[in-house]
């Protein structure tokens, strides 16, 4: 089956992190590039994020994490996607993520990680190249 329409991305702020400026900047950049973006808002649980992604028929989930809980939160989202037979939804992350954790996050199934200083165009290009073609 060929899926048509724009790429759909859920942008989410999991956990107790209350800083959402970066998530909103990425959401707007993806929207301005022609994608449909569903921004979940602050303080979402992994279950809420996965439920939203499945309900919205998302192609990807962008997690913005500045709290230091990236290992736990990313792992939980990936696990829930597997349990719900939704592994086709790719997960990517942005935020304050130490270089030492990037390899482990990718081994868990995170498709890519964007750290501070990454341009919005780099994120947009990655999404366009790595999520289904619009």
């Amino acid at each position: 089956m060929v899926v048509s329409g724009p790429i759909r991305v859920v942008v989410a702020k999991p956990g107790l992190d209350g800083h959402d400026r970066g998530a909103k900047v990425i959401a707007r950049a993806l929207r301005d590039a022609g994608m449909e973006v569903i921004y979940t808002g602050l303080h979402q649980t992994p279950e809420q994020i996965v439920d939203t992604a499945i309900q919205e028929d998302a192609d990807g989930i962008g997690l913005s994490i500045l709290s230091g809980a990236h290992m736990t939160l990313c792992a939980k989202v990936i696990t829930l996607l597997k349990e719900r037979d939704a592994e086709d939804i790719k997960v990517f992350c942005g935020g304050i993520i130490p270089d030492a954790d990037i390899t482990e996050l990718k081994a868990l199934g995170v498709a890519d990680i964007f750290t501070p200083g990454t341009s919005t165009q780099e994120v947009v290009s990655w999404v366009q190249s790595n999520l289904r073609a619009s």
Side-chain angles (χ1 to χ4, degrees), residues 2-102:
V2 176
V3 179
S4 62
I7 294 171
R8 296 176 59 82
V9 180
V10 169
V11 174
K13 289 291 300 179
L16 299 177
D17 180 5
H19 301 280
D20 64 349
R21 182 175 297 175
K24 288 179 177 178
V25 167
I26 293 301
R28 184 175 188 134
L30 295 173
R31 184 206 64 193
D32 289 351
M35 296 172 219
E36 289 186 19
V37 178
I38 301 93
Y39 175 61
T40 63
L42 295 169
H43 311 301
Q44 299 295 295
T45 66
E47 291 82 3
Q48 289 171 313
I49 294 165
V50 169
D51 286 346
T52 299
I54 291 170
Q55 290 169 5
E56 294 289 343
D57 196 24
D59 300 297
I61 299 172
L63 299 174
S64 172
I65 305 173
L66 302 171
S67 65
H70 49 274
M71 298 303 293
T72 302
L73 294 168
C74 290
K76 184 65 174 174
V77 168
I78 297 287
T79 298
L80 289 167
L81 288 170
K82 287 178 184 173
E83 289 174 0
R84 305 273 308 269
D85 291 323
E87 293 176 85
D88 59 319
I89 302 173
K90 290 187 180 180
V91 176
F92 59 99
C93 296
I96 307 298
I97 300 172
D99 291 341
D101 293 343
I102 291 175

Side-chain angles (χ1 to χ4, degrees), residues 89-134:
I89 302 173
K90 290 187 180 180
V91 176
F92 59 99
C93 296
I96 307 298
I97 300 172
D99 291 341
D101 293 343
I102 291 175
T103 302
E104 190 172 345
L105 286 168
K106 287 185 176 182
L108 287 172
V110 176
D112 212 342
I113 294 133
F114 302 98
T115 55
T118 303
S119 73
T120 55
Q121 186 53 51
E122 187 177 338
V123 177
V124 167
S125 293
W126 182 88
V127 169
Q128 290 171 330
S129 297
N130 290 278
L131 299 187
R132 79 171 163 82
S134 58

